[in-house]
Amino acid sequence: MSDALTRPADAGTAAPPKPNAVVAVLALAGIVVSLMQTLVIPIVPELPTLLHASASNTAWAVTATLLAAAVATPVVGRLGDMIGKRRMLLVSIVLLVSGSVVCALADSLVPMIIGRTLQGLAAAVVPLGISIMRDALPADRLAGATALMSASLGVGGALGLPAAAFIADKWDWHILFWTSATLGAVAFALVLMIVPESKVRTGGRFDLPGALGLSAGLVSLLLAVSKGGDWGWTSGTTLGLGAAAVVILVGWGFWELKARQPLVDLRTTAKPQVLFTNLASVALGFSMFAMSLVLPQLLQLPTQTGYGLGKSMLTVGLVLAPQGLVMMVMSAASAKVTQAKGPKVTLMIGALIVASGYALNIVLMSEVWHLILVSCIIGAGVGFTYGALPALIMGAVDPSQTGAANSLNTLMRSLGTSFASALAGVILAQMTTDFGGHALPSENGFKVVMAIGAGAALLAFLVASFIPRRQTPAAAETEAGEQTEAVTAKA
């Protein structure tokens, strides 16, 4: 037994009669949310024409989703702990469906941004699903189930890209969002019928000032990071937003430390196991973005460049699709390693696999099969790491804080991805080659980004080494009993 499996023996709700069905439905919900994030990728170059707006304005269709997800994830996670995780999961799916319908009916920029914002507000589905699993599943099923749920983010993204590219190529682009709405409605119905509500709740008063402060700080930070390349990294707007983010987040931290019922319990977050897991998550999020940026561009650049492969977006999706299947398979392997050696070891193994995949990509990038191989290796590492992260978080926090803690960890990965996007954009904009009068990212530019991806994965490995060793079975049992008594006392 490892600290990953620490959960209340009886939190006041009976184990569901069909745990396999609960896991399948929650994983489906996670995949549906990750599909939403890849839907617009095939049509991004065409959005200015489709929405009758400039490219800089249509970029908000992507940025709005990022900002909404960053704000919603910690807030919804905390509300799940307070008033019910299943209830907030259903609310999140409703927002996804509503946003999808708005986008499906949109023919101009404003409704598209509104719809994409609503879709982004559904980003907490995965951490909520993991938290529900902790409360509802038998202990011997928890490691594998949470690993699969966590990997659903990558699985949906990898499988959704070729499907979205195919739909966009064959039919009207609005079908993409009608498909998302339909899948969301199916997920909502299945969650309503199969997933039980947990009685592990904190109750209390919602920390509205904390939520507003964190939201303002995150929006300022992510706007500066995501739009700095367009506005100029030394522009007054970018520097002003960056400074505002620092001031707001520092003030927010002081408020949270004084609040009786904080949005984020910073004292729990400062526990070594939680702190180093979150820091490793930032590094991993940073590392994982490099692949999603580099491989599609290498596949699509003209063959005349000498390193591009001249493939279509549909081919890009098909090349990356096996990665999703590898993630799903590796999530099961991740659970077995976690049960035998603990999630710390699993995380470190996954980080090394990711780093090796990027290192291999530096020397193997001239054939389609090279990129399939690399994406599968990196996908295997992602499957390991995504399975270990929630296990580490849940092994260190009270059951009543699971939703907020998992949501914060998901946010850390997203922040790492945003930072990587900004840095990679700067590198590829500076390291270019002339092609018919157009500046394209150079081969060395791609290699530098991949080297940084490998370095970020190695940094995650180093940070993970500082995570405390897993508990002995006896200690884990003792803590489980203490947590159960605490939850009972609160009830």
Side-chain angles (χ1 to χ4, degrees), residues 133 226 238 250 283 441:
M133 288 175 174
S226 62
T238 302
V250 169

Side-chain angles (χ1 to χ4, degrees), residues 120-163:
L121 293 175
V125 163
V126 170
L128 284 172
I130 292 171
S131 303
I132 290 172
M133 288 175 174
R134 184 186 194 184
D135 297 340
L137 296 180
D140 60 346
R141 294 293 311 277
L142 188 57
T146 56
L148 177 61
M149 184 70 193
S150 189
S152 68
L153 277 173
V155 173
L159 299 181
L161 186 57

Side-chain angles (χ1 to χ4, degrees), residues 199-216:
K199 294 183 180 179
V200 181
R201 302 181 188 178
T202 61
R205 181 176 298 177
F206 181 68
D207 179 17
L208 181 59
L212 294 175
L214 180 59
S215 299

